[in-house]
Coordinates of all heavy atoms in Angstrom, one line a residue:
M1 N -8.8 0.4 19.4 CA -7.7 1.1 18.7 C -7.1 0.2 17.6 O -7.0 -0.9 17.8 CB -6.6 1.5 19.7 CG -7.1 2.3 20.8 SD -7.1 4.1 20.4 CE -5.4 4.4 21.2
A2 N -6.8 0.9 16.5 CA -6.2 0.2 15.4 C -4.8 0.8 15.2 O -4.5 2.0 15.4 CB -7.1 0.4 14.1
K3 N -3.9 -0.1 14.6 CA -2.6 0.4 14.3 C -2.4 0.4 12.8 O -2.9 -0.6 12.2 CB -1.5 -0.5 15.0 CG -1.6 -0.4 16.5 CD -0.5 -1.3 17.2 CE -0.7 -0.9 18.6 NZ 0.5 -1.3 19.4
G4 N -1.8 1.4 12.2 CA -1.6 1.4 10.8 C -0.5 2.4 10.5 O 0.3 2.9 11.4
T5 N -0.5 3.1 9.3 CA 0.4 4.0 8.8 C -0.2 5.2 8.4 O -1.2 5.2 7.6 CB 1.3 3.4 7.7 OG1 1.9 2.2 8.3 CG2 2.4 4.3 7.2
M6 N 0.4 6.4 8.7 CA -0.1 7.7 8.2 C 1.0 8.1 7.1 O 2.2 8.2 7.6 CB -0.3 8.7 9.2 CG -1.5 8.4 10.0 SD -2.0 9.9 11.2 CE -2.5 11.1 10.0
R7 N 0.7 8.4 6.0 CA 1.6 9.0 5.0 C 1.3 10.3 4.6 O 0.2 10.8 4.3 CB 1.6 8.1 3.6 CG 2.1 6.7 3.8 CD 2.3 6.1 2.6 NE 2.7 4.7 2.7 CZ 2.3 3.6 2.1 NH1 1.4 3.7 1.2 NH2 2.8 2.4 2.5
Y8 N 2.3 11.2 4.6 CA 2.2 12.6 4.3 C 2.8 13.0 2.9 O 3.8 12.4 2.5 CB 2.9 13.4 5.3 CG 2.5 13.1 6.7 CD1 3.3 12.3 7.6 CD2 1.2 13.6 7.2 CE1 2.9 12.1 8.9 CE2 0.8 13.4 8.5 CZ 1.7 12.6 9.3 OH 1.2 12.3 10.7
W9 N 2.1 13.7 2.2 CA 2.6 14.2 0.9 C 2.8 15.7 0.8 O 2.1 16.5 1.5 CB 1.5 13.7 -0.1 CG 1.4 12.2 -0.2 CD1 0.4 11.5 0.5 CD2 2.2 11.3 -0.9 NE1 0.6 10.2 0.3 CE2 1.8 10.0 -0.6 CE3 3.3 11.4 -1.7 CZ2 2.4 8.8 -1.0 CZ3 3.9 10.4 -2.1 CH2 3.4 9.0 -1.9
A10 N 3.7 16.0 0.1 CA 4.0 17.5 -0.3 C 4.1 18.3 0.9 O 5.0 18.0 1.7 CB 2.9 18.0 -1.3
A11 N 3.3 19.4 1.0 CA 3.5 20.4 2.2 C 3.3 19.7 3.5 O 3.8 20.0 4.6 CB 2.5 21.6 2.0
A12 N 2.4 18.6 3.6 CA 2.2 17.9 4.8 C 3.5 17.1 5.2 O 3.8 17.0 6.4 CB 1.0 16.9 4.6
K13 N 4.2 16.5 4.2 CA 5.4 15.9 4.4 C 6.4 16.8 5.0 O 7.2 16.5 6.0 CB 6.0 15.2 3.2 CG 7.3 14.6 3.3 CD 7.7 14.0 2.0 CE 9.1 13.5 2.0 NZ 9.5 13.0 0.7
A14 N 6.5 18.0 4.5 CA 7.5 19.0 4.9 C 7.2 19.5 6.3 O 8.0 19.6 7.2 CB 7.5 20.3 4.0
A15 N 5.9 19.7 6.6 CA 5.5 20.2 7.9 C 5.6 19.2 9.0 O 5.9 19.4 10.1 CB 4.0 20.7 7.9
A16 N 5.4 17.8 8.6 CA 5.6 16.7 9.5 C 7.0 16.4 9.8 O 7.4 15.9 10.8 CB 4.8 15.5 9.0
G17 N 7.8 16.7 8.8 CA 9.3 16.2 8.9 C 9.6 14.8 8.6 O 10.6 14.3 9.0
T18 N 8.5 14.2 8.1 CA 8.7 12.7 7.7 C 7.7 12.3 6.7 O 6.7 13.1 6.4 CB 8.4 11.8 9.0 OG1 8.8 10.5 8.7 CG2 7.0 12.0 9.5
H19 N 8.0 11.4 6.0 CA 7.1 10.8 4.9 C 5.9 10.0 5.4 O 4.8 10.0 5.0 CB 7.8 10.0 3.9 CG 7.0 9.3 2.8 ND1 6.2 10.1 2.0 CD2 6.8 8.0 2.7 CE1 5.5 9.2 1.2 NE2 5.8 7.9 1.6
E20 N 6.2 9.2 6.5 CA 5.2 8.4 7.2 C 5.5 8.1 8.6 O 6.7 8.2 9.1 CB 5.0 7.1 6.4 CG 6.2 6.1 6.4 CD 5.8 4.9 5.6 OE1 5.2 5.0 4.6 OE2 6.2 3.8 6.0
E21 N 4.4 7.8 9.4 CA 4.6 7.3 10.7 C 3.5 6.4 11.1 O 2.4 6.4 10.4 CB 4.7 8.6 11.6 CG 3.4 9.4 11.7 CD 3.5 10.7 12.5 OE1 4.5 10.9 13.3 OE2 2.6 11.5 12.3
P22 N 3.6 5.7 12.1 CA 2.5 4.8 12.6 C 1.4 5.6 13.4 O 1.6 6.7 13.9 CB 3.2 3.9 13.6 CG 4.4 4.6 14.2 CD 4.8 5.5 13.0
Y23 N 0.2 5.0 13.1 CA -0.9 5.5 14.0 C -1.4 4.4 14.9 O -1.2 3.2 14.6 CB -2.1 6.1 13.2 CG -2.9 5.1 12.3 CD1 -3.8 4.2 13.0 CD2 -2.8 5.0 11.0 CE1 -4.5 3.4 12.3 CE2 -3.6 4.2 10.3 CZ -4.5 3.3 10.9 OH -5.2 2.4 10.1
D24 N -1.9 4.9 16.0 CA -2.6 3.9 17.0 C -3.8 4.7 17.6 O -3.8 5.4 18.5 CB -1.5 3.6 18.2 CG -2.1 2.5 19.0 OD1 -3.2 2.1 18.9 OD2 -1.4 2.1 20.0
A25 N -4.9 4.5 16.8 CA -6.1 5.4 17.0 C -7.4 4.6 16.5 O -7.3 3.8 15.6 CB -5.9 6.7 16.3
A26 N -8.5 5.0 17.1 CA -9.7 4.5 16.7 C -10.3 5.2 15.5 O -10.9 4.5 14.6 CB -10.7 4.4 17.9
T27 N -10.1 6.4 15.4 CA -10.8 7.3 14.3 C -9.8 8.1 13.7 O -8.7 8.4 14.3 CB -11.9 8.1 14.9 OG1 -11.4 9.1 15.8 CG2 -13.0 7.3 15.6
L28 N -10.2 8.6 12.5 CA -9.2 9.6 11.8 C -9.0 10.8 12.6 O -7.9 11.3 12.8 CB -9.9 9.9 10.5 CG -9.1 10.9 9.6 CD1 -7.7 10.4 9.3 CD2 -9.8 11.2 8.3
E29 N -10.1 11.2 13.3 CA -10.0 12.4 14.2 C -8.9 12.3 15.3 O -8.1 13.1 15.6 CB -11.3 12.9 14.8 CG -11.2 14.1 15.8 CD -12.6 14.3 16.3 OE1 -12.9 13.7 17.4 OE2 -13.1 15.3 15.7
D30 N -8.9 11.0 15.9 CA -7.9 10.7 16.9 C -6.6 10.7 16.4 O -5.5 11.2 17.0 CB -8.3 9.4 17.6 CG -9.5 9.3 18.4 OD1 -10.1 10.5 18.7 OD2 -10.1 8.2 18.6
A31 N -6.3 10.1 15.2 CA -5.0 10.0 14.6 C -4.4 11.3 14.3 O -3.3 11.6 14.5 CB -5.1 9.1 13.4
V32 N -5.3 12.2 13.6 CA -4.8 13.5 13.1 C -4.5 14.4 14.4 O -3.6 15.1 14.5 CB -5.9 14.2 12.3 CG1 -5.5 15.7 12.1 CG2 -6.0 13.5 11.0
A33 N -5.4 14.3 15.5 CA -5.1 15.0 16.7 C -3.7 14.6 17.4 O -3.0 15.5 17.9 CB -6.2 14.8 17.7
A34 N -3.5 13.3 17.4 CA -2.2 12.9 18.0 C -1.0 13.4 17.1 O 0.0 13.8 17.7 CB -2.1 11.3 18.1
A35 N -1.1 13.4 15.8 CA 0.0 13.8 15.0 C 0.1 15.4 15.2 O 1.2 15.9 15.2 CB -0.3 13.5 13.5
R36 N -1.0 16.1 15.2 CA -1.0 17.6 15.4 C -0.5 17.9 16.7 O 0.3 18.9 16.8 CB -2.5 18.1 15.2 CG -2.5 19.6 15.1 CD -4.0 20.1 14.9 NE -4.9 19.4 15.8 CZ -5.9 18.7 15.4 NH1 -6.3 18.4 14.1 NH2 -6.8 18.1 16.2
D37 N -0.8 17.3 17.8 CA -0.3 17.5 19.1 C 1.1 17.4 19.2 O 1.8 18.0 20.1 CB -1.0 16.7 20.2 CG -2.5 17.1 20.4 OD1 -2.9 18.1 19.8 OD2 -3.2 16.2 21.0
A38 N 1.8 16.6 18.4 CA 3.3 16.2 18.4 C 4.1 17.3 17.6 O 5.3 17.3 17.7 CB 3.5 14.9 17.9
R39 N 3.3 18.2 17.0 CA 3.9 19.2 16.1 C 3.5 20.6 16.3 O 2.6 20.9 17.1 CB 3.8 18.8 14.7 CG 4.4 17.4 14.4 CD 4.2 17.0 12.9 NE 4.9 15.8 12.6 CZ 4.6 14.6 13.0 NH1 3.4 14.4 13.5 NH2 5.3 13.5 12.7
G40 N 4.1 21.5 15.4 CA 3.7 22.9 15.6 C 2.6 23.4 14.8 O 1.8 22.6 14.1
D41 N 2.4 24.7 14.8 CA 1.3 25.4 14.1 C 1.2 25.2 12.6 O 0.2 25.1 11.9 CB 1.3 26.8 14.4 CG 1.0 27.2 15.9 OD1 0.5 26.3 16.6 OD2 1.3 28.2 16.3
E42 N 2.3 25.1 11.9 CA 2.5 24.9 10.5 C 1.8 23.6 10.1 O 1.1 23.6 9.2 CB 3.9 25.1 10.0 CG 4.0 24.8 8.5 CD 3.3 25.8 7.6 OE1 2.9 26.9 8.1 OE2 3.2 25.6 6.4
F43 N 2.1 22.6 10.9 CA 1.5 21.3 10.7 C 0.1 21.3 10.8 O -0.6 20.8 9.9 CB 2.2 20.2 11.5 CG 1.6 18.8 11.3 CD1 2.1 18.0 10.2 CD2 0.7 18.3 12.1 CE1 1.6 16.8 10.1 CE2 0.1 17.1 11.9 CZ 0.6 16.2 10.8
A44 N -0.4 21.9 11.8 CA -1.8 22.0 12.0 C -2.5 22.8 10.9 O -3.6 22.4 10.5 CB -2.1 22.7 13.4
R45 N -1.9 23.8 10.4 CA -2.5 24.7 9.4 C -2.6 23.8 8.1 O -3.6 23.7 7.5 CB -1.6 25.8 9.1 CG -2.2 26.7 8.0 CD -1.3 28.0 7.8 NE -0.1 27.5 7.1 CZ 0.0 27.2 5.8 NH1 -1.1 27.2 5.1 NH2 1.2 26.7 5.2
V46 N -1.6 23.1 7.7 CA -1.5 22.3 6.5 C -2.5 21.1 6.6 O -3.3 20.9 5.7 CB -0.1 21.8 6.2 CG1 -0.1 20.7 5.1 CG2 0.9 22.8 5.9
V47 N -2.5 20.3 7.7 CA -3.4 19.3 7.9 C -4.9 19.7 7.9 O -5.7 19.0 7.5 CB -3.0 18.4 9.2 CG1 -4.0 17.4 9.5 CG2 -1.7 17.7 8.8
G48 N -5.0 21.0 8.6 CA -6.4 21.4 8.5 C -7.1 21.7 7.2 O -8.3 21.7 7.0
R49 N -6.2 21.9 6.2 CA -6.7 22.0 4.8 C -6.6 20.8 3.9 O -6.9 20.8 2.7 CB -5.9 23.2 4.2 CG -6.1 24.5 4.9 CD -5.3 25.6 4.2 NE -4.3 25.1 3.2 CZ -3.4 25.9 2.6 NH1 -3.4 27.1 2.9 NH2 -2.6 25.3 1.7
S50 N -6.1 19.8 4.5 CA -5.8 18.5 3.7 C -7.0 17.6 3.4 O -8.0 17.7 4.3 CB -4.7 17.7 4.3 OG -3.4 18.4 4.4
S51 N -6.9 16.8 2.4 CA -7.8 15.8 2.1 C -7.2 14.5 2.6 O -6.0 14.3 2.8 CB -8.1 15.6 0.6 OG -8.7 16.9 0.1
F52 N -8.1 13.5 2.8 CA -7.5 12.2 3.3 C -8.1 11.0 2.6 O -9.2 11.0 2.2 CB -8.0 12.0 4.8 CG -7.4 13.1 5.8 CD1 -8.1 14.3 5.9 CD2 -6.2 12.9 6.4 CE1 -7.6 15.2 6.7 CE2 -5.7 13.9 7.2 CZ -6.5 15.0 7.4
L53 N -7.2 10.0 2.4 CA -7.6 8.8 1.8 C -7.3 7.7 2.9 O -6.3 7.7 3.5 CB -6.8 8.4 0.6 CG -6.9 9.4 -0.6 CD1 -5.9 8.9 -1.7 CD2 -8.3 9.4 -1.2
I54 N -8.2 6.8 3.0 CA -8.0 5.6 3.9 C -8.0 4.3 3.0 O -9.1 4.0 2.4 CB -9.0 5.5 5.1 CG1 -8.9 6.7 5.9 CG2 -8.7 4.2 5.8 CD1 -9.8 6.9 7.1
D55 N -6.9 3.6 2.9 CA -6.7 2.5 2.0 C -7.2 2.8 0.6 O -7.9 2.0 0.0 CB -7.4 1.3 2.7 CG -6.7 0.8 3.8 OD1 -5.5 1.0 4.0 OD2 -7.3 0.1 4.6
G56 N -6.9 4.1 0.1 CA -7.3 4.5 -1.2 C -8.6 5.1 -1.4 O -9.0 5.6 -2.4
D57 N -9.5 5.0 -0.4 CA -10.9 5.6 -0.4 C -11.0 7.0 0.2 O -10.5 7.2 1.3 CB -11.8 4.6 0.4 CG -11.9 3.3 -0.3 OD1 -11.9 3.2 -1.6 OD2 -12.1 2.2 0.5
P58 N -11.5 7.9 -0.6 CA -11.5 9.2 -0.1 C -12.4 9.4 1.2 O -13.5 8.8 1.1 CB -12.1 10.1 -1.2 CG -12.3 9.2 -2.3 CD -12.0 7.8 -1.9
V59 N -12.1 10.1 2.2 CA -12.8 10.5 3.3 C -14.0 11.5 2.9 O -15.1 11.4 3.4 CB -12.0 11.0 4.5 CG1 -12.9 11.5 5.6 CG2 -11.1 9.9 5.0
G60 N -13.6 12.3 2.1 CA -14.7 13.4 1.6 C -15.0 14.3 2.7 O -14.2 14.7 3.5
T61 N -16.3 14.5 2.8 CA -16.7 15.6 3.9 C -17.2 14.9 5.1 O -17.8 15.6 6.0 CB -17.8 16.5 3.3 OG1 -18.9 15.6 2.9 CG2 -17.5 17.3 2.1
R62 N -17.0 13.5 5.3 CA -17.5 12.9 6.4 C -16.8 13.5 7.8 O -15.6 13.8 7.6 CB -17.2 11.4 6.3 CG -18.1 10.6 5.4 CD -17.8 9.2 5.4 NE -16.6 9.0 4.7 CZ -15.8 8.0 4.8 NH1 -16.2 6.9 5.6 NH2 -14.6 7.7 4.2
P63 N -17.4 13.6 8.8 CA -16.7 14.0 10.0 C -15.7 13.1 10.4 O -15.8 11.8 10.4 CB -17.9 14.1 11.1 CG -19.1 14.1 10.4 CD -18.9 13.4 9.0
H64 N -14.6 13.6 10.7 CA -13.4 12.7 11.0 C -13.6 11.8 12.2 O -13.0 10.7 12.3 CB -12.1 13.4 11.1 CG -11.7 14.1 9.9 ND1 -10.7 15.1 9.8 CD2 -12.2 14.0 8.6 CE1 -10.6 15.4 8.5 NE2 -11.5 14.9 7.8
A65 N -14.4 12.3 13.2 CA -14.8 11.4 14.4 C -15.6 10.2 13.9 O -15.6 9.2 14.7 CB -15.5 12.3 15.4
S66 N -16.2 10.2 12.8 CA -17.1 9.1 12.4 C -16.3 8.1 11.4 O -16.9 7.2 11.0 CB -18.3 9.6 11.6 OG -18.0 10.1 10.3
V67 N -15.1 8.4 11.2 CA -14.3 7.5 10.2 C -13.4 6.6 11.1 O -12.4 7.0 11.6 CB -13.5 8.4 9.3 CG1 -12.7 7.5 8.4 CG2 -14.3 9.4 8.5
A68 N -13.9 5.3 11.1 CA -13.1 4.4 11.9 C -11.9 4.0 11.1 O -11.9 3.8 9.8 CB -14.0 3.2 12.2
L69 N -10.7 3.8 11.8 CA -9.5 3.4 11.1 C -9.3 1.8 11.2 O -9.6 1.3 12.2 CB -8.3 4.1 11.7 CG -8.2 5.6 11.6 CD1 -6.9 6.1 12.3 CD2 -8.2 6.0 10.1
P70 N -9.0 1.2 10.1 CA -8.7 -0.3 10.1 C -7.4 -0.6 10.6 O -6.4 0.1 10.5 CB -8.9 -0.5 8.5 CG -8.4 0.7 7.9 CD -8.7 1.8 8.8
E71 N -7.3 -1.8 11.2 CA -6.1 -2.4 11.6 C -5.2 -2.5 10.3 O -5.7 -3.1 9.3 CB -6.4 -3.7 12.3 CG -5.1 -4.3 12.8 CD -4.5 -3.6 14.0 OE1 -5.2 -3.0 14.7 OE2 -3.2 -3.7 14.1
G72 N -4.0 -2.1 10.4 CA -3.1 -2.3 9.2 C -3.4 -1.3 8.2 O -2.8 -1.5 7.0
G73 N -4.2 -0.3 8.3 CA -4.6 0.6 7.3 C -3.6 1.7 6.9 O -2.7 1.8 7.7
V74 N -3.8 2.4 5.8 CA -2.8 3.4 5.4 C -3.7 4.7 5.2 O -4.8 4.6 4.5 CB -2.1 3.1 4.1 CG1 -1.3 4.2 3.7 CG2 -1.3 1.9 4.3
V75 N -3.4 5.7 6.0 CA -4.1 7.0 5.9 C -3.2 7.9 5.0 O -1.9 8.1 5.4 CB -4.3 7.6 7.2 CG1 -4.9 9.0 7.1 CG2 -5.2 6.7 8.0
E76 N -3.6 8.4 3.9 CA -2.9 9.3 3.1 C -3.3 10.7 3.4 O -4.5 11.1 3.4 CB -3.1 9.1 1.6 CG -2.9 7.6 1.2 CD -1.4 7.2 0.9 OE1 -0.6 8.2 0.8 OE2 -1.2 6.1 0.7
V77 N -2.4 11.6 3.8 CA -2.7 13.0 4.1 C -2.3 13.9 2.9 O -1.0 13.9 2.6 CB -1.9 13.5 5.3 CG1 -2.3 14.9 5.7 CG2 -2.3 12.6 6.5
L78 N -3.2 14.4 2.1 CA -3.0 15.2 0.9 C -3.3 16.6 1.0 O -4.6 16.9 1.0 CB -3.8 14.4 -0.2 CG -3.8 13.0 -0.4 CD1 -4.8 12.5 -1.3 CD2 -2.3 12.6 -1.0
P79 N -2.3 17.5 1.0 CA -2.6 18.8 1.1 C -3.1 19.4 -0.2 O -3.0 18.6 -1.3 CB -1.2 19.5 1.5 CG -0.3 18.6 1.0 CD -0.9 17.2 1.1
P80 N -3.7 20.6 -0.3 CA -4.1 21.1 -1.7 C -2.9 21.2 -2.5 O -1.8 21.6 -2.1 CB -4.6 22.5 -1.3 CG -5.0 22.4 0.1 CD -4.0 21.5 0.8
F81 N -3.0 20.8 -3.8 CA -1.9 20.8 -4.8 C -2.2 22.0 -5.8 O -3.4 22.2 -6.2 CB -1.8 19.5 -5.5 CG -1.4 18.3 -4.7 CD1 -2.2 17.5 -4.1 CD2 0.0 18.2 -4.5 CE1 -1.8 16.5 -3.3 CE2 0.4 17.0 -3.8 CZ -0.5 16.2 -3.2
A82 N -1.1 22.6 -6.2 CA -1.2 23.6 -7.3 C -0.9 22.8 -8.5 O -0.1 21.9 -8.5 CB -0.3 24.7 -7.0
G83 N -1.4 23.2 -9.6 CA -1.1 22.6 -10.8 C -1.7 23.4 -12.1 O -2.3 24.4 -11.9
G84 N -1.4 22.7 -13.2 CA -1.9 23.4 -14.4 C -1.7 22.6 -15.6 O -1.2 21.6 -15.6

């Protein structure tokens, strides 16, 4: 298990009710599941559509269960953004 920080942006921040929180998980899937279990359906919906960066590197389409989290790492949760 690794300990680090999850940072939420935009709609993910609103749904989480916080800008950041610690994680204690081996994989991205474990960290997201723990955060989702602590919150309601809106958070699950937003995070389900979000992209993730780990220490600035995009996770992309890799299965979250295969993405190991580093000790002291930062997971950025980025919901879809509108813009123009």
Side-chain angles (χ1 to χ4, degrees):
M1 297 272 261
K3 295 182 183 202
T5 302
M6 289 185 72
R7 289 193 184 137
Y8 302 106
W9 298 96
K13 177 181 170 183
T18 187
H19 172 66
E20 67 180 40
E21 65 185 346
Y23 69 74
D24 188 358
T27 67
L28 179 58
E29 181 176 86
D30 295 340
V32 171
R36 189 176 48 239
D37 290 349
R39 295 182 173 82
D41 293 339
E42 177 63 14
F43 180 81
R45 184 186 68 75
V46 171
V47 170
R49 297 181 349 188
S50 293
S51 299
F52 299 88
L53 301 175
I54 299 179
D55 290 339
D57 294 324
V59 171
T61 60
R62 289 181 286 161
H64 294 172
S66 72
V67 179
L69 295 179
E71 183 67 32
V74 176
V75 176
E76 308 276 351
V77 182
L78 306 169
F81 291 93

